[in-house]
Amino acid sequence: MKFAVPGVIAAVVGAVLGAGVVFGVTAAASDNTRPDIDRSGNADSSLLNQVEYGSR
């Protein structure tokens, strides 16, 4: 029983460190920024900068 306690402690510490590394790498690699919207179009003649032809 004496040999099992250090093994269990090592497994728990390894699992916690592994989970921390996985979450850290995932957070660093995630792209969670919104893209800039192109507002250079003519607001009177376009809808979302895509000109629509004809009448509704």
Side-chain angles (χ1 to χ4, degrees):
M1 189 65 167
K2 256 183 175 179
F3 63 90
V5 174
V8 171
I9 291 173
V12 169
V13 170
V16 169
L17 289 177
V21 168
V22 168
F23 287 127
V25 169
T26 303
S30 66
D31 183 17
N32 55 3
T33 58
R34 291 187 292 172
D36 293 330
I37 298 173
D38 180 19
R39 299 195 186 273
S40 62
N42 184 357
D44 293 332
S45 67
S46 65
L47 176 66
L48 295 176
N49 290 333
Q50 296 176 352
V51 176
E52 295 185 9
Y53 297 98
S55 60
R56 293 185 178 187

